[in-house]
Amino acid sequence: MSARAVVWRCLAGFMSVLWLAGWPGAVLANEVWPVRAVKLVVPYAAGGLADQLGRLLAVELNLLSGQPVVIENRPGVGGTVASEQVARAVPDGYTLVISGIGSHVIAPVLTPNVKYDPVRDFTHLAILGGSPTMLVVGPSVPVQHFRDFKKFAQSQSAGLSWGSPGPGTHGHLIGEYFAQLQGLSMVHVGYKGASQAIGDVWGGHIPAAFVTSSSATGNIADGQLRGLAVSSERRLPSMPKVPTFAELGLPRLTAHTWFGLAGPAGMPEPVVQAIQRAVREVLRKKSVQAQMETAGIEVMDVSPARTREFVESEQARWVPVVQGLNKNATR
């Protein structure tokens, strides 16, 4: 065997050891992502908007690459449990998280001792889409229109109980901000996902909830919930009878929840670009756009280059609001 062949065989063996040891960046410069299974962590329970987006993305990336994308639902503390897990993972592109306004803007302000920085500790890869938040009530609640809701809330001597997909979620923020703007005494009940909150509203355990419109669409169509107001800029084509908060005199509640895709900080640039190309291809598929529209999810036109800027701009908008709510809660 020639000296050159010996050198190359030794080098190949060394690189194999590094790969098996999971050494980040060892061979990523020479591989095309993905060459093995990808774990996609969803910070909320199955059935909600983040879960729907995650599963849709997983299926499409699998079809595109031939590699499995395994969903791991890990709800808890407004998405911070899952986000911290991914922030500490090896930055090789094989552990990703569905990021969002809850886990990367709101919860880090509301939750003590969050052990990650929402911008610096992540590689923000893409903004996938989002949905406005809707105020819904159960069928047994004697409220047909938004104008009746305030009177009903004021009639609850112990304060009106209301649900959200969890502490630190967009529904939590909008609900708290709504109560503040309306001067209402309201008691927040945090769940581990929109489906659980909706189930308790429908079952009569709590009278109201602030959840994504996409999570509530089917229940409203079936008569299990009534939608009173939505945080979108315009009325939703799927629910034209539900007014916007802006129409009702609350323009500061105009906002969308949003979800993105992120990995740990320090991911190699070739891997980042490969993931971003794959996600762009998925989001451009008409079949994917149709599924998202049916689910009430709007594709958000944020370029990969602006993904981190978008997260920073959302922090600039909402962190002061969250801090204000937090101060009022601790008085």
Side-chain angles (χ1 to χ4, degrees):
M1 183 182 295
S2 67
R4 176 176 292 184
V6 171
V7 170
W8 277 109
R9 176 170 290 186
C10 291
L11 180 60
F14 177 65
M15 297 299 280
S16 298
V17 170
L18 289 178
W19 173 259
L20 291 172
W23 188 64
V27 295
L28 286 176
N30 298 316
E31 73 172 340
V32 178
W33 180 94
V35 297
R36 55 188 172 90
V38 177
K39 180 166 70 174
L40 180 55
V41 184
V42 177
Y44 305 102
L49 178 58
D51 184 65
Q52 292 177 57
L53 273 171
R55 291 179 187 278
L56 176 59
L57 183 63
V59 168
E60 293 296 331
L61 287 177
N62 171 247
L63 292 173
L64 190 64
S65 68
Q67 295 293 340
V69 180
V70 182
I71 295 290
E72 178 183 309
N73 290 91
R74 193 167 185 189
V77 198
T80 61
V81 173
S83 299
E84 182 180 334
Q85 172 192 345
V86 173
R88 293 181 173 183
V90 176
D92 56 5
Y94 291 94
T95 303
L96 305 174
V97 67
I98 297 295
S99 58
I101 190 171
S103 57
H104 284 73
V105 177
I106 303 170
V109 180
L110 293 177
T111 308
N113 303 318
V114 170
K115 297 177 182 177
Y116 63 82
D117 183 279
V119 175
R120 291 196 305 270
D121 291 340
F122 294 87
T123 301
H124 291 282
L125 299 162
I127 302 299
L128 303 174
S131 175
T133 291
M134 182 171 287
L135 168 60
V136 298
V137 295
S140 62
V141 176
V143 173
Q144 297 296 323
H145 304 285
F146 179 83
R147 62 177 177 268
D148 305 319
F149 184 78
K150 185 172 182 178
K151 293 179 182 177
F152 176 73
Q154 291 172 330
S155 71
Q156 306 301 299
S157 58
L160 179 92
S161 295
W162 61 279
S164 81
T169 61
H170 193 251
H172 180 201
L173 172 63
I174 293 292
E176 295 282 11
Y177 201 21
F178 169 79
Q180 183 186 83
L181 293 174
Q182 294 287 282
L184 295 172
S185 174
M186 294 173 59
V187 181
H188 176 238
V189 182
Y191 290 84
K192 291 184 178 180
S195 58
Q196 293 183 9
I198 287 172
D200 269 9
V201 173
W202 174 32
H205 301 292
I206 56 173
F210 286 81
V211 294
T212 55
S213 61
S214 57
S215 300
T217 299
N219 299 89
I220 291 173
D222 293 342
Q224 297 167 344
L225 298 176
R226 283 193 294 277
L228 300 183
V230 64
S231 69
S232 54
E233 291 84 0
R234 294 172 294 278
R235 294 194 184 199
L236 302 177
S238 59
M239 289 178 278
K241 294 184 179 180
V242 180
T244 67
F245 281 110
E247 287 180 72
L248 299 167
L250 296 167
R252 282 185 282 180
L253 293 181
T254 300
H256 279 64
T257 188
W258 54 265
F259 292 100
L261 182 68
M267 289 172 56
E269 189 59 28
V271 176
V272 170
Q273 292 180 7
I275 295 173
Q276 290 176 332
R277 283 195 300 270
V279 172
R280 280 203 305 275
E281 188 169 340
V282 167
L283 293 179
R284 286 172 179 168
K285 290 180 66 173
K286 294 199 178 295
S287 59
V288 170
Q289 293 177 359
Q291 289 181 69
M292 292 175 72
E293 183 178 348
T294 299
I297 304 168
E298 299 179 20
V299 177
M300 298 178 71
D301 187 16
V302 180
S303 69
R306 287 201 59 251
T307 300
R308 179 174 171 137
E309 290 178 27
F310 175 83
V311 176
E312 291 174 333
S313 69
E314 285 289 281
Q315 286 191 318
R317 178 185 181 189
W318 289 109
V319 164
V321 175
V322 179
Q323 290 172 334
L325 294 174
N326 213 17
K327 287 178 183 177
N328 290 336
T330 55
R331 284 177 183 172

